[in-house]
PDB file of all heavy atoms in Angstrom:
ATOM      1  N   ARG A  23      60.017  70.946 117.936  1.00 89.00           N
ATOM      2  CA  ARG A  23      59.794  71.610 119.210  1.00 89.00           C
ATOM      3  C   ARG A  23      60.588  70.861 120.219  1.00 89.00           C
ATOM      4  O   ARG A  23      60.745  69.580 120.229  1.00 89.00           O
ATOM      5  CB  ARG A  23      58.358  71.374 119.610  1.00 89.00           C
ATOM      6  CG  ARG A  23      57.419  72.246 118.754  1.00 89.00           C
ATOM      7  CD  ARG A  23      55.994  72.012 119.082  1.00 89.00           C
ATOM      8  NE  ARG A  23      55.721  72.155 120.413  1.00 89.00           N
ATOM      9  CZ  ARG A  23      54.707  72.889 121.082  1.00 89.00           C
ATOM     10  NH1 ARG A  23      53.799  73.495 120.336  1.00 89.00           N
ATOM     11  NH2 ARG A  23      54.511  72.876 122.353  1.00 89.00           N
ATOM     12  N   LEU A  24      61.245  71.437 121.160  1.00 89.00           N
ATOM     13  CA  LEU A  24      62.228  70.920 122.149  1.00 89.00           C
ATOM     14  C   LEU A  24      61.332  70.647 123.387  1.00 89.00           C
ATOM     15  O   LEU A  24      60.562  71.321 123.819  1.00 89.00           O
ATOM     16  CB  LEU A  24      63.252  71.894 122.497  1.00 89.00           C
ATOM     17  CG  LEU A  24      64.298  72.290 121.450  1.00 89.00           C
ATOM     18  CD1 LEU A  24      65.290  73.213 121.867  1.00 89.00           C
ATOM     19  CD2 LEU A  24      65.065  71.019 120.838  1.00 89.00           C
ATOM     20  N   SER A  25      61.738  69.411 123.934  1.00 94.00           N
ATOM     21  CA  SER A  25      61.060  69.029 125.162  1.00 94.00           C
ATOM     22  C   SER A  25      61.720  69.921 126.294  1.00 94.00           C
ATOM     23  O   SER A  25      62.776  70.552 126.137  1.00 94.00           O
ATOM     24  CB  SER A  25      61.338  67.577 125.491  1.00 94.00           C
ATOM     25  OG  SER A  25      62.677  67.382 125.718  1.00 94.00           O
ATOM     26  N   LEU A  26      61.009  69.798 127.441  1.00 95.00           N
ATOM     27  CA  LEU A  26      61.589  70.502 128.686  1.00 95.00           C
ATOM     28  C   LEU A  26      62.924  70.077 129.043  1.00 95.00           C
ATOM     29  O   LEU A  26      63.790  70.924 129.403  1.00 95.00           O
ATOM     30  CB  LEU A  26      60.596  70.373 129.891  1.00 95.00           C
ATOM     31  CG  LEU A  26      60.868  71.119 131.062  1.00 95.00           C
ATOM     32  CD1 LEU A  26      61.020  72.771 130.777  1.00 95.00           C
ATOM     33  CD2 LEU A  26      59.874  70.859 132.155  1.00 95.00           C
ATOM     34  N   GLN A  27      63.112  68.818 128.904  1.00 96.00           N
ATOM     35  CA  GLN A  27      64.468  68.151 129.218  1.00 96.00           C
ATOM     36  C   GLN A  27      65.455  68.783 128.209  1.00 96.00           C
ATOM     37  O   GLN A  27      66.740  69.142 128.647  1.00 96.00           O
ATOM     38  CB  GLN A  27      64.437  66.614 129.149  1.00 96.00           C
ATOM     39  CG  GLN A  27      65.795  66.102 129.484  1.00 96.00           C
ATOM     40  CD  GLN A  27      65.659  64.564 129.548  1.00 96.00           C
ATOM     41  OE1 GLN A  27      64.627  63.970 129.404  1.00 96.00           O
ATOM     42  NE2 GLN A  27      66.844  63.846 129.578  1.00 96.00           N
ATOM     43  N   ASP A  28      65.187  68.826 126.898  1.00 95.00           N
ATOM     44  CA  ASP A  28      66.154  69.409 125.943  1.00 95.00           C
ATOM     45  C   ASP A  28      66.426  70.750 126.202  1.00 95.00           C
ATOM     46  O   ASP A  28      67.573  71.236 126.096  1.00 95.00           O
ATOM     47  CB  ASP A  28      65.571  69.161 124.588  1.00 95.00           C
ATOM     48  CG  ASP A  28      65.551  67.687 124.054  1.00 95.00           C
ATOM     49  OD1 ASP A  28      66.323  66.949 124.573  1.00 95.00           O
ATOM     50  OD2 ASP A  28      64.713  67.446 123.281  1.00 95.00           O
ATOM     51  N   LYS A  29      65.523  71.634 126.632  1.00 95.00           N
ATOM     52  CA  LYS A  29      65.708  73.014 126.900  1.00 95.00           C
ATOM     53  C   LYS A  29      66.516  73.146 128.191  1.00 95.00           C
ATOM     54  O   LYS A  29      67.591  74.000 128.102  1.00 95.00           O
ATOM     55  CB  LYS A  29      64.386  73.698 127.161  1.00 95.00           C
ATOM     56  CG  LYS A  29      63.495  73.919 125.895  1.00 95.00           C
ATOM     57  CD  LYS A  29      62.182  74.521 126.219  1.00 95.00           C
ATOM     58  CE  LYS A  29      61.261  74.565 125.045  1.00 95.00           C
ATOM     59  NZ  LYS A  29      59.865  75.232 125.391  1.00 95.00           N
ATOM     60  N   ALA A  30      66.284  72.404 129.217  1.00 97.00           N
ATOM     61  CA  ALA A  30      67.113  72.455 130.359  1.00 97.00           C
ATOM     62  C   ALA A  30      68.525  71.957 130.108  1.00 97.00           C
ATOM     63  O   ALA A  30      69.496  72.807 130.605  1.00 97.00           O
ATOM     64  CB  ALA A  30      66.612  71.452 131.369  1.00 97.00           C
ATOM     65  N   GLU A  31      68.862  71.073 129.267  1.00 97.00           N
ATOM     66  CA  GLU A  31      70.123  70.585 128.893  1.00 97.00           C
ATOM     67  C   GLU A  31      70.905  71.625 128.172  1.00 97.00           C
ATOM     68  O   GLU A  31      72.062  72.004 128.455  1.00 97.00           O
ATOM     69  CB  GLU A  31      70.140  69.283 128.099  1.00 97.00           C
ATOM     70  CG  GLU A  31      71.452  68.611 127.937  1.00 97.00           C
ATOM     71  CD  GLU A  31      71.350  67.261 127.276  1.00 97.00           C
ATOM     72  OE1 GLU A  31      70.367  66.688 127.396  1.00 97.00           O
ATOM     73  OE2 GLU A  31      72.376  67.050 126.529  1.00 97.00           O
ATOM     74  N   ALA A  32      70.244  72.345 127.309  1.00 96.00           N
ATOM     75  CA  ALA A  32      70.858  73.436 126.416  1.00 96.00           C
ATOM     76  C   ALA A  32      71.147  74.518 127.394  1.00 96.00           C
ATOM     77  O   ALA A  32      72.300  75.144 127.134  1.00 96.00           O
ATOM     78  CB  ALA A  32      69.869  73.849 125.414  1.00 96.00           C
ATOM     79  N   ALA A  33      70.306  74.855 128.245  1.00 97.00           N
ATOM     80  CA  ALA A  33      70.562  76.014 129.158  1.00 97.00           C
ATOM     81  C   ALA A  33      71.775  75.771 130.107  1.00 97.00           C
ATOM     82  O   ALA A  33      72.547  76.536 130.272  1.00 97.00           O
ATOM     83  CB  ALA A  33      69.415  76.231 130.036  1.00 97.00           C
ATOM     84  N   LEU A  34      71.804  74.460 130.526  1.00 98.00           N
ATOM     85  CA  LEU A  34      72.966  74.059 131.374  1.00 98.00           C
ATOM     86  C   LEU A  34      74.264  74.165 130.646  1.00 98.00           C
ATOM     87  O   LEU A  34      75.315  74.641 131.162  1.00 98.00           O
ATOM     88  CB  LEU A  34      72.720  72.667 132.005  1.00 98.00           C
ATOM     89  CG  LEU A  34      73.877  72.090 132.927  1.00 98.00           C
ATOM     90  CD1 LEU A  34      73.977  72.953 134.152  1.00 98.00           C
ATOM     91  CD2 LEU A  34      73.579  70.661 133.227  1.00 98.00           C
ATOM     92  N   LYS A  35      74.321  73.717 129.422  1.00 97.00           N
ATOM     93  CA  LYS A  35      75.519  73.706 128.572  1.00 97.00           C
ATOM     94  C   LYS A  35      76.003  75.173 128.337  1.00 97.00           C
ATOM     95  O   LYS A  35      77.123  75.385 128.376  1.00 97.00           O
ATOM     96  CB  LYS A  35      75.346  72.982 127.223  1.00 97.00           C
ATOM     97  CG  LYS A  35      75.253  71.443 127.470  1.00 97.00           C
ATOM     98  CD  LYS A  35      75.032  70.835 125.965  1.00 97.00           C
ATOM     99  CE  LYS A  35      75.023  69.337 126.266  1.00 97.00           C
ATOM    100  NZ  LYS A  35      74.789  68.646 124.923  1.00 97.00           N
ATOM    101  N   LYS A  36      75.005  76.039 128.033  1.00 97.00           N
ATOM    102  CA  LYS A  36      75.285  77.406 127.876  1.00 97.00           C
ATOM    103  C   LYS A  36      75.868  78.158 129.111  1.00 97.00           C
ATOM    104  O   LYS A  36      76.847  78.863 129.061  1.00 97.00           O
ATOM    105  CB  LYS A  36      73.988  78.144 127.485  1.00 97.00           C
ATOM    106  CG  LYS A  36      74.252  79.591 127.166  1.00 97.00           C
ATOM    107  CD  LYS A  36      72.987  80.369 126.705  1.00 97.00           C
ATOM    108  CE  LYS A  36      73.183  81.780 126.460  1.00 97.00           C
ATOM    109  NZ  LYS A  36      71.924  82.352 126.015  1.00 97.00           N
ATOM    110  N   ALA A  37      75.384  77.835 130.262  1.00 98.00           N
ATOM    111  CA  ALA A  37      75.837  78.223 131.616  1.00 98.00           C
ATOM    112  C   ALA A  37      77.233  77.747 131.818  1.00 98.00           C
ATOM    113  O   ALA A  37      78.134  78.526 132.272  1.00 98.00           O
ATOM    114  CB  ALA A  37      74.980  77.813 132.667  1.00 98.00           C
ATOM    115  N   VAL A  38      77.531  76.481 131.598  1.00 95.00           N
ATOM    116  CA  VAL A  38      78.895  76.013 131.785  1.00 95.00           C
ATOM    117  C   VAL A  38      79.862  76.586 130.833  1.00 95.00           C
ATOM    118  O   VAL A  38      80.929  76.997 131.297  1.00 95.00           O
ATOM    119  CB  VAL A  38      78.878  74.484 131.548  1.00 95.00           C
ATOM    120  CG1 VAL A  38      80.296  73.915 131.486  1.00 95.00           C
ATOM    121  CG2 VAL A  38      78.053  73.719 132.762  1.00 95.00           C
ATOM    122  N   ARG A  39      79.462  76.806 129.596  1.00 95.00           N
ATOM    123  CA  ARG A  39      80.438  77.515 128.617  1.00 95.00           C
ATOM    124  C   ARG A  39      80.750  78.937 129.160  1.00 95.00           C
ATOM    125  O   ARG A  39      81.825  79.355 129.106  1.00 95.00           O
ATOM    126  CB  ARG A  39      79.865  77.627 127.379  1.00 95.00           C
ATOM    127  CG  ARG A  39      80.099  76.469 126.357  1.00 95.00           C
ATOM    128  CD  ARG A  39      79.685  76.824 124.926  1.00 95.00           C
ATOM    129  NE  ARG A  39      78.281  77.225 124.761  1.00 95.00           N
ATOM    130  CZ  ARG A  39      77.279  76.452 124.622  1.00 95.00           C
ATOM    131  NH1 ARG A  39      77.398  75.156 124.625  1.00 95.00           N
ATOM    132  NH2 ARG A  39      76.087  76.922 124.405  1.00 95.00           N
ATOM    133  N   GLY A  40      79.685  79.591 129.604  1.00 95.00           N
ATOM    134  CA  GLY A  40      80.050  80.907 130.187  1.00 95.00           C
ATOM    135  C   GLY A  40      80.817  80.927 131.423  1.00 95.00           C
ATOM    136  O   GLY A  40      81.806  81.846 131.517  1.00 95.00           O
ATOM    137  N   VAL A  41      80.804  80.008 132.315  1.00 94.00           N
ATOM    138  CA  VAL A  41      81.512  79.883 133.469  1.00 94.00           C
ATOM    139  C   VAL A  41      83.059  79.597 133.110  1.00 94.00           C
ATOM    140  O   VAL A  41      83.972  80.218 133.585  1.00 94.00           O
ATOM    141  CB  VAL A  41      81.082  78.785 134.458  1.00 94.00           C
ATOM    142  CG1 VAL A  41      82.184  78.601 135.657  1.00 94.00           C
ATOM    143  CG2 VAL A  41      79.837  79.283 135.148  1.00 94.00           C
ATOM    144  N   VAL A  42      83.277  78.652 132.104  1.00 93.00           N
ATOM    145  CA  VAL A  42      84.570  78.342 131.580  1.00 93.00           C
ATOM    146  C   VAL A  42      85.189  79.562 131.007  1.00 93.00           C
ATOM    147  O   VAL A  42      86.337  79.843 131.252  1.00 93.00           O
ATOM    148  CB  VAL A  42      84.482  77.140 130.774  1.00 93.00           C
ATOM    149  CG1 VAL A  42      85.810  76.921 130.053  1.00 93.00           C
ATOM    150  CG2 VAL A  42      84.103  75.877 131.435  1.00 93.00           C
ATOM    151  N   GLU A  43      84.502  80.234 130.147  1.00 93.00           N
ATOM    152  CA  GLU A  43      85.058  81.458 129.523  1.00 93.00           C
ATOM    153  C   GLU A  43      85.390  82.573 130.621  1.00 93.00           C
ATOM    154  O   GLU A  43      86.399  83.168 130.447  1.00 93.00           O
ATOM    155  CB  GLU A  43      83.981  82.053 128.500  1.00 93.00           C
ATOM    156  CG  GLU A  43      83.784  81.186 127.295  1.00 93.00           C
ATOM    157  CD  GLU A  43      82.713  81.757 126.389  1.00 93.00           C
ATOM    158  OE1 GLU A  43      82.236  82.857 126.615  1.00 93.00           O
ATOM    159  OE2 GLU A  43      82.240  80.969 125.482  1.00 93.00           O
ATOM    160  N   HIS A  44      84.584  82.695 131.670  1.00 94.00           N
ATOM    161  CA  HIS A  44      84.854  83.717 132.639  1.00 94.00           C
ATOM    162  C   HIS A  44      86.061  83.403 133.378  1.00 94.00           C
ATOM    163  O   HIS A  44      86.923  84.258 133.599  1.00 94.00           O
ATOM    164  CB  HIS A  44      83.665  83.833 133.552  1.00 94.00           C
ATOM    165  CG  HIS A  44      83.805  84.751 134.707  1.00 94.00           C
ATOM    166  ND1 HIS A  44      83.841  86.194 134.469  1.00 94.00           N
ATOM    167  CD2 HIS A  44      84.025  84.640 136.011  1.00 94.00           C
ATOM    168  CE1 HIS A  44      84.063  86.807 135.701  1.00 94.00           C
ATOM    169  NE2 HIS A  44      84.186  85.858 136.567  1.00 94.00           N
ATOM    170  N   HIS A  45      86.297  82.223 133.737  1.00 93.00           N
ATOM    171  CA  HIS A  45      87.480  81.702 134.507  1.00 93.00           C
ATOM    172  C   HIS A  45      88.671  81.992 133.610  1.00 93.00           C
ATOM    173  O   HIS A  45      89.807  82.340 134.193  1.00 93.00           O
ATOM    174  CB  HIS A  45      87.279  80.325 134.888  1.00 93.00           C
ATOM    175  CG  HIS A  45      86.601  80.126 136.169  1.00 93.00           C
ATOM    176  ND1 HIS A  45      87.153  80.052 137.424  1.00 93.00           N
ATOM    177  CD2 HIS A  45      85.200  80.240 136.578  1.00 93.00           C
ATOM    178  CE1 HIS A  45      86.150  79.991 138.335  1.00 93.00           C
ATOM    179  NE2 HIS A  45      85.018  80.055 137.807  1.00 93.00           N
ATOM    180  N   LYS A  46      88.613  81.502 132.347  1.00 93.00           N
ATOM    181  CA  LYS A  46      89.799  81.705 131.443  1.00 93.00           C
ATOM    182  C   LYS A  46      90.087  83.133 131.259  1.00 93.00           C
ATOM    183  O   LYS A  46      91.252  83.621 131.339  1.00 93.00           O
ATOM    184  CB  LYS A  46      89.361  81.092 130.047  1.00 93.00           C
ATOM    185  CG  LYS A  46      90.576  80.904 129.110  1.00 93.00           C
ATOM    186  CD  LYS A  46      90.321  80.081 128.007  1.00 93.00           C
ATOM    187  CE  LYS A  46      91.489  79.825 127.104  1.00 93.00           C
ATOM    188  NZ  LYS A  46      91.293  79.059 125.978  1.00 93.00           N
ATOM    189  N   LYS A  47      89.175  84.090 131.096  1.00 93.00           N
ATOM    190  CA  LYS A  47      89.276  85.480 130.906  1.00 93.00           C
ATOM    191  C   LYS A  47      89.889  86.071 132.170  1.00 93.00           C
ATOM    192  O   LYS A  47      90.807  87.060 132.077  1.00 93.00           O
ATOM    193  CB  LYS A  47      88.011  86.128 130.542  1.00 93.00           C
ATOM    194  CG  LYS A  47      88.122  87.542 130.067  1.00 93.00           C
ATOM    195  CD  LYS A  47      86.688  88.205 129.885  1.00 93.00           C
ATOM    196  CE  LYS A  47      85.992  87.459 128.881  1.00 93.00           C
ATOM    197  NZ  LYS A  47      84.744  88.104 128.347  1.00 93.00           N
ATOM    198  N   THR A  48      89.418  85.705 133.358  1.00 94.00           N
ATOM    199  CA  THR A  48      89.947  86.403 134.561  1.00 94.00           C
ATOM    200  C   THR A  48      91.246  85.816 135.171  1.00 94.00           C
ATOM    201  O   THR A  48      91.764  86.308 136.115  1.00 94.00           O
ATOM    202  CB  THR A  48      88.794  86.367 135.546  1.00 94.00           C
ATOM    203  OG1 THR A  48      88.527  85.044 135.879  1.00 94.00           O
ATOM    204  CG2 THR A  48      87.568  87.153 135.244  1.00 94.00           C
ATOM    205  N   GLY A  49      91.593  84.656 134.546  1.00 93.00           N
ATOM    206  CA  GLY A  49      92.780  83.978 134.980  1.00 93.00           C
ATOM    207  C   GLY A  49      92.651  83.097 136.233  1.00 93.00           C
ATOM    208  O   GLY A  49      93.680  82.831 136.874  1.00 93.00           O
ATOM    209  N   ARG A  50      91.467  82.737 136.739  1.00 94.00           N
ATOM    210  CA  ARG A  50      91.101  82.091 137.886  1.00 94.00           C
ATOM    211  C   ARG A  50      91.136  80.509 137.576  1.00 94.00           C
ATOM    212  O   ARG A  50      90.543  80.194 136.630  1.00 94.00           O
ATOM    213  CB  ARG A  50      89.794  82.588 138.556  1.00 94.00           C
ATOM    214  CG  ARG A  50      89.921  84.016 139.005  1.00 94.00           C
ATOM    215  CD  ARG A  50      88.606  84.477 139.512  1.00 94.00           C
ATOM    216  NE  ARG A  50      88.226  83.672 140.581  1.00 94.00           N
ATOM    217  CZ  ARG A  50      86.965  83.589 140.989  1.00 94.00           C
ATOM    218  NH1 ARG A  50      85.932  84.368 140.354  1.00 94.00           N
ATOM    219  NH2 ARG A  50      86.625  82.897 142.090  1.00 94.00           N
ATOM    220  N   PRO A  51      91.667  79.786 138.503  1.00 95.00           N
ATOM    221  CA  PRO A  51      91.557  78.389 138.151  1.00 95.00           C
ATOM    222  C   PRO A  51      90.086  77.860 138.275  1.00 95.00           C
ATOM    223  O   PRO A  51      89.197  78.424 138.918  1.00 95.00           O
ATOM    224  CB  PRO A  51      92.464  77.636 139.345  1.00 95.00           C
ATOM    225  CG  PRO A  51      92.427  78.689 140.441  1.00 95.00           C
ATOM    226  CD  PRO A  51      92.326  79.999 139.707  1.00 95.00           C
ATOM    227  N   LEU A  52      89.833  76.661 137.555  1.00 93.00           N
ATOM    228  CA  LEU A  52      88.531  76.155 137.422  1.00 93.00           C
ATOM    229  C   LEU A  52      88.421  74.934 138.288  1.00 93.00           C
ATOM    230  O   LEU A  52      89.224  74.009 138.121  1.00 93.00           O
ATOM    231  CB  LEU A  52      88.101  75.781 135.970  1.00 93.00           C
ATOM    232  CG  LEU A  52      86.783  75.405 135.660  1.00 93.00           C
ATOM    233  CD1 LEU A  52      85.706  76.459 136.017  1.00 93.00           C
ATOM    234  CD2 LEU A  52      86.634  75.007 134.186  1.00 93.00           C
ATOM    235  N   ALA A  53      87.555  74.802 139.177  1.00 94.00           N
ATOM    236  CA  ALA A  53      87.417  73.672 140.048  1.00 94.00           C
ATOM    237  C   ALA A  53      86.512  72.557 139.238  1.00 94.00           C
ATOM    238  O   ALA A  53      85.395  72.913 138.914  1.00 94.00           O
ATOM    239  CB  ALA A  53      86.894  73.991 141.431  1.00 94.00           C
ATOM    240  N   ILE A  54      86.878  71.358 139.158  1.00 93.00           N
ATOM    241  CA  ILE A  54      86.080  70.322 138.685  1.00 93.00           C
ATOM    242  C   ILE A  54      86.013  69.151 139.640  1.00 93.00           C
ATOM    243  O   ILE A  54      87.001  68.936 140.466  1.00 93.00           O
ATOM    244  CB  ILE A  54      86.590  69.896 137.261  1.00 93.00           C
ATOM    245  CG1 ILE A  54      87.986  69.239 137.329  1.00 93.00           C
ATOM    246  CG2 ILE A  54      86.489  70.930 136.306  1.00 93.00           C
ATOM    247  CD1 ILE A  54      88.377  68.442 136.025  1.00 93.00           C
ATOM    248  N   TRP A  55      85.149  68.182 139.395  1.00 95.00           N
ATOM    249  CA  TRP A  55      85.149  66.956 140.208  1.00 95.00           C
ATOM    250  C   TRP A  55      85.626  65.844 139.341  1.00 95.00           C
ATOM    251  O   TRP A  55      85.215  65.617 138.208  1.00 95.00           O
ATOM    252  CB  TRP A  55      83.748  66.712 140.514  1.00 95.00           C
ATOM    253  CG  TRP A  55      83.506  65.559 141.566  1.00 95.00           C
ATOM    254  CD1 TRP A  55      83.036  64.237 141.207  1.00 95.00           C
ATOM    255  CD2 TRP A  55      83.672  65.470 142.904  1.00 95.00           C
ATOM    256  NE1 TRP A  55      82.975  63.522 142.305  1.00 95.00           N
ATOM    257  CE2 TRP A  55      83.364  64.322 143.382  1.00 95.00           C
ATOM    258  CE3 TRP A  55      84.041  66.531 143.811  1.00 95.00           C
ATOM    259  CZ2 TRP A  55      83.453  63.968 144.737  1.00 95.00           C
ATOM    260  CZ3 TRP A  55      84.169  66.223 145.093  1.00 95.00           C
ATOM    261  CH2 TRP A  55      83.796  64.893 145.482  1.00 95.00           C
ATOM    262  N   GLU A  56      86.722  65.222 139.762  1.00 94.00           N
ATOM    263  CA  GLU A  56      87.354  64.093 139.025  1.00 94.00           C
ATOM    264  C   GLU A  56      87.792  62.942 139.923  1.00 94.00           C
ATOM    265  O   GLU A  56      88.479  63.100 140.855  1.00 94.00           O
ATOM    266  CB  GLU A  56      88.545  64.560 138.366  1.00 94.00           C
ATOM    267  CG  GLU A  56      89.281  63.671 137.404  1.00 94.00           C
ATOM    268  CD  GLU A  56      90.317  64.362 136.553  1.00 94.00           C
ATOM    269  OE1 GLU A  56      91.449  64.571 137.178  1.00 94.00           O
ATOM    270  OE2 GLU A  56      90.210  64.639 135.380  1.00 94.00           O
ATOM    271  N   ASN A  57      87.191  61.775 139.718  1.00 95.00           N
ATOM    272  CA  ASN A  57      87.559  60.557 140.464  1.00 95.00           C
ATOM    273  C   ASN A  57      87.312  60.679 141.924  1.00 95.00           C
ATOM    274  O   ASN A  57      88.160  60.324 142.839  1.00 95.00           O
ATOM    275  CB  ASN A  57      89.080  60.183 140.235  1.00 95.00           C
ATOM    276  CG  ASN A  57      89.306  59.737 138.733  1.00 95.00           C
ATOM    277  OD1 ASN A  57      88.488  59.232 138.036  1.00 95.00           O
ATOM    278  ND2 ASN A  57      90.498  60.076 138.350  1.00 95.00           N
ATOM    279  N   GLY A  58      86.191  61.308 142.268  1.00 96.00           N
ATOM    280  CA  GLY A  58      85.858  61.466 143.598  1.00 96.00           C
ATOM    281  C   GLY A  58      86.578  62.556 144.330  1.00 96.00           C
ATOM    282  O   GLY A  58      86.525  62.700 145.639  1.00 96.00           O
ATOM    283  N   LYS A  59      87.343  63.452 143.714  1.00 97.00           N
ATOM    284  CA  LYS A  59      88.013  64.457 144.365  1.00 97.00           C
ATOM    285  C   LYS A  59      87.878  65.847 143.574  1.00 97.00           C
ATOM    286  O   LYS A  59      87.653  65.793 142.364  1.00 97.00           O
ATOM    287  CB  LYS A  59      89.559  64.167 144.282  1.00 97.00           C
ATOM    288  CG  LYS A  59      89.882  62.960 145.212  1.00 97.00           C
ATOM    289  CD  LYS A  59      91.478  62.729 145.217  1.00 97.00           C
ATOM    290  CE  LYS A  59      91.711  61.546 146.210  1.00 97.00           C
ATOM    291  NZ  LYS A  59      93.106  61.353 146.095  1.00 97.00           N
ATOM    292  N   THR A  60      88.118  66.993 144.222  1.00 97.00           N
ATOM    293  CA  THR A  60      88.154  68.117 143.608  1.00 97.00           C
ATOM    294  C   THR A  60      89.427  68.549 143.128  1.00 97.00           C
ATOM    295  O   THR A  60      90.390  68.371 143.850  1.00 97.00           O
ATOM    296  CB  THR A  60      87.723  69.257 144.626  1.00 97.00           C
ATOM    297  OG1 THR A  60      86.465  68.971 145.211  1.00 97.00           O
ATOM    298  CG2 THR A  60      87.743  70.762 143.920  1.00 97.00           C
ATOM    299  N   VAL A  61      89.531  68.879 141.820  1.00 95.00           N
ATOM    300  CA  VAL A  61      90.626  69.213 141.126  1.00 95.00           C
ATOM    301  C   VAL A  61      90.716  70.595 140.617  1.00 95.00           C
ATOM    302  O   VAL A  61      89.665  71.019 139.959  1.00 95.00           O
ATOM    303  CB  VAL A  61      91.024  68.221 139.958  1.00 95.00           C
ATOM    304  CG1 VAL A  61      92.250  68.606 139.340  1.00 95.00           C
ATOM    305  CG2 VAL A  61      90.950  66.834 140.483  1.00 95.00           C
TER     306      VAL A  61
END
């Protein structure tokens, strides 16, 4: 049985994968946070 925290983490990972796939498919750049700046 998964804890609520485990379920939330799995849902977040799935959502991030979907966003990355969408940006790659549509050819749009992906914004990330790196060293205190948006890249």
